[in-house]
Amino acid sequence: MRGLVLGGGGITGIAWMIGVLAGLADRGIDLTDADVVVGTSAGSIVGSLIATGPRLEDLYAHQLTDPAGEIAARFRTRDMLRYLFASLLPGGEERIGRRIGRMAIGAKTKSDDLRREVIAERLGNATWPARTLLITTVDADTGAARVFDAASGVPLVDAVRASCSVPMVWPPVTIDGHRYMDGGVRSIANADLAKGCERIVVLAPVNVATRRRTRIETQLASLGPSVRSIVLSPDAAARQAIGPNVLSPITRAASARAGRAQGAGAADTVREVWLG
């Protein structure tokens, strides 16, 4: 089986990942036919879109349009420092999740209703696909990871909305009495969820980890020595196009174009993993 792991990275991350996928497709490599798709935060949107049928070229073209319908946001420096401090304090995965969850629950954020409208518009009428699509979240009260899939009985739009609920930017999403936040609280890509896949490509618009066990490379290594994998993150040109605020729609088009160029340039190395 082949797995596609799509990490967090905001509005620009969505654009960059779609651009990379389009650039690879230009070179004859179609990652959208993956058997397993793991989506975290921005990756949950891209994963849902490619798994539910819109043409990749249409998705790419949309990234170049006027982003007036997107909501501009920013992860304030103070909140970013608080987030990092909570991540670095002693404790296991769930304890860290609870710390960040308390901050997420107590923060003043933008309207959740407005956010739901935006995500629903992005996904259209998409429902869970037949193939395996895993959407990652973290319970803001318990700190426990929760992975939604077709068997969860939760509408796809709500699972994605929860996975995209960046702490202190967007409020946790209540599903069946539990409050869920961004799956990136556990890991920026959650690559270890691609269990059973022999070939894995990870697109990580942001590739940072405060602890060794949450590093993408560490998670991939945990899947076994026979797994062939590659991790793509923005190159220098893409980082310049993305700019300092991944939550701003202003650089969406530039991020998509940079992603397409990078995808085309990385085609040979990706081909060795995906098709070799």
Side-chain angles (χ1 to χ4, degrees), residues 1-212:
M1 290 200 305
R2 293 179 297 179
L4 176 60
V5 177
L6 303 165
I11 292 174
T12 59
I14 293 170
W16 176 81
M17 285 187 281
I18 290 174
V20 171
L21 292 170
L24 289 169
D26 291 340
R27 298 290 300 276
I29 305 168
D30 184 8
L31 299 189
T32 68
D33 64 359
D35 302 294
V36 175
V37 178
V38 179
T40 295
S41 197
S44 72
I45 291 177
V46 178
S48 297
L49 289 171
I50 66 172
T52 56
R55 292 176 61 251
L56 183 56
E57 198 59 38
D58 292 337
L59 295 177
Y60 178 78
H62 178 69
Q63 302 308 306
L64 307 183
T65 62
D66 184 352
E70 294 285 354
I71 305 172
R74 178 177 290 276
F75 203 12
R76 292 171 296 186
T77 301
R78 181 190 65 183
D79 291 335
M80 185 178 296
L81 292 174
R82 292 175 64 206
Y83 184 101
L84 291 173
F85 184 69
S87 300
L88 291 169
L89 286 173
E93 178 182 301
E94 293 188 4
R95 186 176 179 184
I96 293 170
R98 287 195 296 273
R99 287 192 200 115
I100 296 173
R102 285 194 293 271
M103 292 189 293
I105 292 169
K108 293 182 179 180
T109 63
K110 293 179 178 291
S111 166
D112 182 50
D113 291 338
L114 182 59
R115 177 67 164 166
R116 192 183 197 285
E117 290 179 8
V118 170
I119 292 181
E121 183 177 356
R122 283 178 183 166
L123 299 184
N125 296 317
T127 57
W128 289 98
R131 78 173 96 173
T132 300
L133 172 62
L134 306 177
I135 303 297
T136 69
T137 66
V138 172
D139 188 309
D141 292 295
T142 68
R146 172 74 188 274
V147 180
F148 291 104
D149 60 15
S152 302
V154 172
L156 179 59
V157 65
D158 290 334
V160 169
R161 189 163 55 102
S163 187
C164 293
S165 292
V166 180
M168 294 171 283
V169 176
W170 303 107
V173 173
T174 300
I175 299 174
D176 296 333
H178 294 268
R179 294 180 286 192
Y180 295 101
M181 59 184 174
D182 199 310
V185 170
R186 176 183 184 265
S187 164
I188 198 64
N190 295 286
D192 55 329
L193 296 181
K195 296 176 182 177
C197 294
E198 296 85 17
R199 300 169 184 268
I200 301 172
V201 173
V202 182
L203 302 187
V206 176
N207 190 356
V208 295
T210 54
R211 295 174 182 246
R212 184 176 183 277

